[in-house]
Amino acid sequence: MNEMEAPTRSSSSSQGIQSLEIAFSILKCFKEAKAPLSVSELSKRLEMPKNKIHKYLVSFIRVGALIQNKKDSTYAMGPALIELGLVALQQYDVAKIAKPHIREFSKQINHSVALAIWSEEGPMIAEYERSDKPIQVEIQAGYRFPLLMTALGKCFAAFLPSAQVRPLVQREIDNYQLDEQTVNQELQTIREERVSFRNTPFAGIPGSMSVASPIFDYTGNMVAALCLIGFAGEIDISPTSDDVLKLKEKASQITKQLT
């Protein structure tokens, strides 16, 4: 199964939330109809009582997933769904576009290379290509990691909107007892240099050394980060080293494809 695909119902043995599945089936009706729908039309398509459907519609309107035309009592997809769809498309596109770059890049420099995207729970590995070295760093797609203790995480902390990441940043400052001024200075340097580093081991984080660079979309927003991951002595993380310059160049190439 592709790492970016969700498991189908038949492939999952876990008990789900029926109301969520019903809600999704209602939204699918709008996708298939490609037009506004009334409660009566939804009731026919879903073979579901109107009063039950109406409760879902009220909630969808409250969160912006649907909008209502009060003149003809029809409903259509709202701005929240459009925004979610655009984000999902951007994340899918960057992983799809970056995958061949990651494979080529890993072979070229013989380092393990990772691509991370942002999820609701923070940064997450979307693609990973191992090097050919005898001792490997093992990371699975879907792996999540801290913001301030990893090179990838620092990229997101530096370039994503403050309102989006600041609560997580502050939580890690408190949890890891970090100096807030030092953290802010490092994030500013990352913004200026477009590269972040980790050169010490940290519990639970694969490898002891990593360097990352951001990837942007056509709007200028950061959508992913590209990273070299390895052990001490393998990667030269000095700012002007070949490893760092090639990483930044590769991240820029992927950005150009997205813009």
Side-chain angles (χ1 to χ4, degrees):
M1 182 179 70
N2 188 295
E3 295 90 342
M4 298 298 291
E5 295 175 348
T8 61
R9 187 182 300 180
S10 61
S11 66
S12 176
S13 59
S14 301
Q15 184 176 358
I17 302 173
Q18 187 178 21
S19 59
L20 183 59
E21 294 175 3
I22 293 171
F24 190 71
S25 69
I26 293 172
L27 295 178
K28 284 183 67 177
C29 284
F30 289 94
K31 183 196 76 169
E32 293 164 359
K34 297 181 181 179
L37 295 171
S38 67
V39 176
S40 296
E41 289 169 326
L42 286 166
S43 179
K44 290 178 183 178
R45 288 170 179 263
L46 295 166
E47 298 181 349
M48 189 184 302
K50 294 180 184 179
N51 62 338
K52 185 174 182 179
I53 292 174
H54 186 262
K55 292 179 181 178
Y56 284 93
L57 297 179
V58 170
S59 293
F60 280 138
I61 290 173
R62 285 177 181 169
V63 299
L66 294 178
I67 55 175
Q68 182 185 22
N69 185 335
K70 293 186 178 180
K71 291 183 179 180
D72 60 6
S73 297
T74 60
Y75 299 82
M77 290 187 175
L81 284 182
I82 295 171
E83 182 180 353
L84 288 172
L86 288 172
V87 171
L89 182 62
Q90 290 167 1
Q91 291 183 348
Y92 175 79
D93 281 349
V94 68
K96 183 178 179 181
I97 289 171
K99 193 167 187 175
H101 284 280
I102 292 170
R103 288 178 175 172
E104 175 193 8
F105 190 42
S106 179
K107 290 179 180 178
Q108 175 190 349
I109 62 175
N110 198 23
H111 291 314
S112 296
V113 180
L115 178 82
I117 60 174
W118 187 260
S119 72
E120 289 185 0
E121 299 177 16
M124 177 183 75
I125 298 295
E127 297 286 348
Y128 182 68
E129 189 72 22
R130 295 168 52 183
S131 70
D132 293 329
K133 295 174 181 176
I135 302 177
Q136 293 288 337
V137 177
E138 297 292 344
I139 305 178
Q140 296 294 323
Y143 173 75
R144 290 182 170 84
F145 45 88
L147 282 179
L148 302 180
M149 310 308 293
T150 62
L152 281 168
K154 290 175 187 178
C155 261
F156 286 100
F159 288 100
L160 287 184
S162 178
Q164 188 173 356
V165 296
R166 191 63 202 177
L168 291 175
V169 168
Q170 191 60 54
R171 186 173 67 190
E172 291 193 13
I173 288 174
D174 296 338
N175 288 347
Y176 301 129
Q177 298 181 337
L178 304 174
D179 179 72
E180 187 167 354
Q181 184 177 355
T182 300
V183 168
N184 291 334
Q185 288 175 346
E186 182 178 11
L187 295 181
Q188 181 58 37
T189 300
I190 292 168
R191 294 184 193 102
E192 294 169 358
E193 302 295 335
R194 290 200 174 189
V195 65
S196 58
F197 304 97
R198 174 173 68 93
N199 58 6
T200 55
F202 184 76
I205 305 299
S208 61
M209 187 168 289
S210 59
V211 53
S213 188
I215 294 170
F216 303 88
D217 67 3
Y218 66 96
T219 67
N221 293 320
M222 180 183 171
V223 291
L226 193 66
C227 183
L228 303 181
I229 302 174
F231 300 101
E234 289 184 342
I235 301 173
D236 185 349
I237 64 170
S238 56
T240 58
S241 70
D242 278 349
D243 287 337
V244 171
L245 295 178
K246 287 177 180 178
L247 174 70
K248 292 172 70 174
E249 181 183 0
K250 182 57 68 175
S252 295
Q253 288 176 6
I254 298 171
T255 291
K256 287 178 181 177
Q257 281 197 252
L258 293 172
T259 56

